[in-house]
């Protein structure tokens, strides 16, 4: 990084923050979070919100710093990320719609399982968020102020995501078991739609690349 006079890049910060919030969708995550954690106790729900945010933050920062090298080393394309993330979300959506709990492996801690997959990734740290941060890092270049602007935007976006999940517990108390069940079905439909968008984006990306060759 170059030792240039430090000037916080407000434009890059706002652009990155708004892009991440649109992609990660704090409001849309609330019903999905409640659907996936509705059968957990309140302390475990709080733990799931905290762990999901931490997992997502770690993944996105890792890709911000090493994203290009990771993808090149593993020979993974962005379109492949979209496809795999879409398939995983679609499987979770089917579990929610069919009322099965098999989407959560039985390892003794449901909060941890849900926090890792699908909340932490690919719902929060999905292909869209990863690519958005990698693009922002590219815009920052070697500027220290640019990097700090991007990382600050990533951190603030995750604070917003944590708050949306953490305070969704109040909504859970208001809805009760019947309301949560209804929300679960709606969440399944929403997740299926998101998964379809990811899969189609990956497919069209592969087609566009094939035509360009």
């Amino acid at each position: 990084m170059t030792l240039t006079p430090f000037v916080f890049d407000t434009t890059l910060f706002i652009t990155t923050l708004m892009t991440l919030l649109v992609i990660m969708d704090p409001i849309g995550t609330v019903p999905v979070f409640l659907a996936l954690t509705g059968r957990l106790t309140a302390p475990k729900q709080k733990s799931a919100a905290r762990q999901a945010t931490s997992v997502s933050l770690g993944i996105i920062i890792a890709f911000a710093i090493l994203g290009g090298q990771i993808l090149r080393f593993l020979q993974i394309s962005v379109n492949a990320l979209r496809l795999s993330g879409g398939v995983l979300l679609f499987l979770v959506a089917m579990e929610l719609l069919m009322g099965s709990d098999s989407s959560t492996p039985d390892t003794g801690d449901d909060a941890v399982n849900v926090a890792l997959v699908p909340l932490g990734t690919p719902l929060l740290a999905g292909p869209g968020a990863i690519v958005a941060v990698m693009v922002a890092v590219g815009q920052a270049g070697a500027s220290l102020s640019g990097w700090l602007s991007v990382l600050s935007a990533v951190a603030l976006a995750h604070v917003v995501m944590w708050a949306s999940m953490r305070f969704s517990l109040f909504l859970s108390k208001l809805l009760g078991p019947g309301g949560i069940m209804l929300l679960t079905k709606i969440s399944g439909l929403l997740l299926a739609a998101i998964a379809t968008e990811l899969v189609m984006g990956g497919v069209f990306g592969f087609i566009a690349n094939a035509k360009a060759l």
Side-chain angles (χ1 to χ4, degrees), residues 122-174:
L123 193 57
L124 299 186
I130 290 173
V131 171
V133 171
M134 290 174 63
V135 170
V137 167
Q139 294 175 335
S143 167
L144 175 60
S145 60
W147 270 84
L148 288 179
S149 300
V150 172
L151 293 179
S152 297
V154 171
L156 182 55
H158 281 81
V159 170
V160 173
M161 294 304 302
W162 169 82
S164 68
M165 292 185 290
R166 171 64 178 80
F167 293 103
S168 67
L169 302 182
F170 294 108
L171 181 59
S172 175
K173 294 178 181 178
L174 291 175

Side-chain angles (χ1 to χ4, degrees), residues 7 19 24 28 37 56 75 105 108 113 115 118-119 151-152 161 184 202 204 210:
V7 178
T19 302
M24 298 172 79
T37 63
S56 175
Q75 296 183 340
N113 294 326
L119 285 175
L151 293 179
S152 297
M161 294 304 302
T184 297
F204 286 131

Side-chain angles (χ1 to χ4, degrees), residues 46-150:
K46 295 176 183 178
S47 177
R50 183 175 62 255
Q51 290 167 350
T53 307
S54 300
V55 168
S56 175
L57 180 61
I59 291 174
I60 289 183
I61 288 180
F63 271 95
I65 299 173
L66 302 170
Q69 293 88 331
I70 292 174
L71 294 181
R72 284 193 295 270
F73 178 76
L74 297 177
Q75 296 183 340
I76 298 174
S77 68
V78 173
N79 293 320
L81 274 180
R82 291 194 182 103
L83 275 172
S84 59
V87 170
L88 180 56
L89 280 183
F90 191 79
L91 291 175
V92 175
M94 290 302 99
E95 296 292 348
L96 292 177
L97 289 171
M98 300 301 293
S100 171
D101 291 332
S102 60
S103 61
T104 305
D106 184 12
T107 61
D109 193 340
D110 293 332
V112 172
N113 294 326
V114 171
L116 295 177
V117 179
L119 285 175
T121 183
L123 193 57
L124 299 186
I130 290 173
V131 171
V133 171
M134 290 174 63
V135 170
V137 167
Q139 294 175 335
S143 167
L144 175 60
S145 60
W147 270 84
L148 288 179
S149 300
V150 172

